[in-house]
């Protein structure tokens, strides 16, 4: 089986997964490219529900405070309401559509099956490069990274997380844990990420 240079980043919202990617892109002497399951999900949701792509790719606060045109009384989501009323926020619809509605009739691997060929095609054309998946949230996603010969890294597993949604629990198997910028200094985070690149891919970032 081919061994692919893939790094899967885990961690609850706000833990610094995208920040870790940006640091890695800056310090790595080998080109890296960001991929995300959520990017494909957001494209489909924007097309299906007319959602603002800028808000879909916005900050945590943007998604938590911006409302869609879908109400909890809508038959599509009412069974997930649990007493909630009014309009769903962008985050609420993202979570429910991505993990529940979209998988009906298409299986739990729907987003994985959509992302895999994009990653493999890019790596086949750039075999010395590294693909970084910035939102591994489920066991099947982490298993794919492992089975492809890649590495799973948990970003800040100790941060208190009050979101009870399954996608935010982050109790997944991983090869290494990296403290986020919220727990240690920027320099310490950089050191951990440089060590990760050496351990996982034999890439020496310590000259940067």
């Amino acid at each position: 089986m081919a061994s692919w240079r893939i790094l899967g980043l885990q961690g609850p919202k706000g833990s610094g997964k995208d920040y870790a990617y940006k640091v890695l892109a800056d310090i790595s002497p080998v080109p890296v490219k960001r991929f995300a399951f959520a990017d494909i999900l957001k494209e489909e949701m924007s097309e299906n529900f007319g959602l603002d792509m800028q808000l879909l790719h916005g900050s945590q606060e943007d998604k938590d405070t911006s409302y869609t045109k879908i109400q909890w009384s809508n038959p599509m989501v009412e069974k997930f309401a649990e007493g909630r009323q009014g309009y769903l926020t962008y985050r609420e619809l993202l979570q429910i559509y991505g993990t529940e509605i979209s998988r009906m009739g298409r299986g739990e691997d729907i987003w994985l099956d959509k992302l895999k060929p994009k990653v493999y095609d890019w790596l086949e054309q750039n075999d010395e490069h590294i693909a970084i998946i910035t939102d591994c949230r489920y066991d099947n996603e982490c298993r794919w990274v492992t089975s492809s010969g890649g590495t799973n890294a948990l970003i800040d597993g100790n941060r208190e997380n009050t979101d009870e949604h399954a996608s935010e629990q982050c109790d997944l198997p991983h090869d290494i844990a990296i403290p986020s910028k919220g727990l240690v200094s920027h320099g310490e985070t950089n050191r951990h990420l440089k060590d990760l690149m050496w351990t996982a891919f034999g890439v020496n970032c310590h000259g940067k």
Side-chain angles (χ1 to χ4, degrees):
M1 179 183 295
S3 181
W4 301 92
R5 289 157 72 93
I6 301 173
L7 174 62
L9 300 181
Q10 307 170 18
K13 63 183 181 183
S15 61
K17 298 184 293 296
D18 283 314
Y19 168 77
Y21 164 74
K22 291 175 183 177
V23 172
L24 290 169
D26 182 56
I27 66 176
S28 176
V30 174
V32 302
K33 182 174 181 178
R34 174 189 174 277
F35 292 88
F37 296 102
D39 287 349
I40 306 171
L41 165 64
K42 290 169 183 176
E43 290 173 5
E44 184 168 310
M45 292 186 66
S46 178
E47 180 177 343
N48 289 352
F49 304 111
L51 300 184
D52 187 315
M53 188 63 78
Q54 186 172 348
L55 287 174
L56 284 169
H57 285 281
S59 66
Q60 305 295 338
E61 183 178 1
D62 288 338
K63 292 190 280 286
D64 284 332
T65 58
S66 300
Y67 289 86
T68 69
K69 296 180 181 179
I70 306 296
Q71 296 195 51
W72 285 108
S73 57
N74 186 301
M76 179 179 65
V77 298
E78 61 182 352
K79 72 176 182 178
F80 308 109
E82 297 180 345
R84 288 173 286 189
Q85 298 180 340
Y87 293 91
L88 282 76
T89 65
Y90 270 58
R91 174 169 296 285
E92 289 168 336
L93 187 56
L94 273 165
Q95 289 180 332
I96 293 173
Y97 185 81
T99 61
E100 302 288 349
I101 298 170
S102 65
R103 297 183 177 190
M104 295 177 182
R106 297 197 289 180
E108 66 174 13
D109 289 341
I110 174 62
W111 304 114
L112 178 58
D113 290 341
K114 286 178 177 288
L115 186 67
K116 279 196 295 187
K118 294 179 181 292
V119 174
Y120 288 153
D121 287 349
W122 184 77
L123 287 173
E124 283 180 348
Q125 297 174 41
N126 304 277
D127 60 356
E128 294 299 317
H129 298 189
I130 299 171
I132 301 180
I133 317 300
T134 59
D135 61 348
C136 289
R137 298 179 182 276
Y138 292 97
D139 186 66
N140 63 330
E141 297 165 357
C142 296
R143 289 199 312 270
W144 164 61
V145 172
T146 299
S147 67
S148 298
T151 295
N152 285 293
L154 173 64
I155 306 299
D156 183 11
N158 295 319
R159 179 181 292 275
E160 182 179 354
N161 177 34
T162 58
D163 192 327
E164 296 182 357
H165 191 268
S167 65
E168 298 294 345
Q169 297 314 299
C170 302
D171 54 352
L172 301 169
H174 52 275
D175 304 294
I176 190 169
I178 305 293
S180 79
K181 61 179 180 178
L183 296 181
V184 296
S185 68
H186 175 80
E188 186 71 2
T189 296
N190 281 20
R191 183 182 68 78
H192 282 283
L193 290 170
K194 289 175 180 178
D195 289 345
L196 164 64
M197 291 292 278
W198 176 254
T199 302
F201 307 110
V203 173
N204 187 354
C205 302
H206 285 279
K208 300 188 74 175

